[in-house]
Amino acid sequence: METQVLHLSAVEMIPWRDRARGDAIKPHWFEGQVEGRLAKPLGITQFGVNLVTLAPGAYSALRHWHAAEDEFVHVLAGELVLIDETGEHVLTAGSSAGFPAGVANADHLANRSDAPATYLAVGSRRPGEEEIRYPDDDFGPVTK
C-alpha cells in the first residue's frame, strides 16, 4: 500500500450549515463553526481526527457524553471554554482535554473570546456500539 500524505491546504473546511441535518437543535449555536476531516481522506477507519474552527460565539456541539467512544481535543490557536459537569475550564493554545468513553461527564466547547479558535478533535469510531447522551436537551440517547 502506498503511503498517503495530506497537506492542510488540501483539506476542505466545511461550514456547519453544510454538514447539518434539518432537525438540528439550537442551530444558532453552530453558525461560525467550520470543520475539516483529516483522518478519513487517509483511509483511517478506527478513529477520526477533525480540524475545527469556532468563530466568536460559536459552540462545538450540544453538551454530550459518549457511551462507547473516547474523545480528545487539543487547542491549536485561540481560547475556548470547556463546559462540563464540574464547571467551566479555559483552554488556550497548547491545552488538551480528554473524555473517556462511558464517563457521564457531558461537555462541549464555547468560543467566548473575540477571535476565532482552532482545535483538533479526535475520537474513536465504534459504529453500532455508540450511544450519545445529551442531558441538557429534551430527547433520548442517540445511537450511532
Side-chain angles (χ1 to χ4, degrees), residues 34-119:
V34 294
E35 180 176 297
R37 293 183 175 178
L38 303 180
K40 200 169 209 171
L42 298 173
I44 302 300
T45 60
Q46 295 182 21
F47 61 91
V49 180
N50 296 331
L51 179 67
V52 183
T53 297
L54 297 180
Y59 286 79
S60 61
L62 298 174
R63 213 168 61 87
H64 68 286
W65 63 275
H66 295 266
E69 296 180 354
D70 287 335
E71 200 172 20
F72 170 86
V73 297
H74 178 79
V75 180
L76 299 170
E79 180 178 292
L80 294 166
V81 177
L82 165 64
I83 303 157
D84 68 8
E85 300 291 339
T86 66
E88 297 187 357
H89 316 274
V90 175
L91 303 178
T92 57
S95 299
S96 299
F99 312 97
V103 177
N105 183 14
D107 68 87
H108 64 177
L109 300 170
N111 183 349
R112 294 184 180 158
S113 77
D114 60 359
T118 301
Y119 64 98

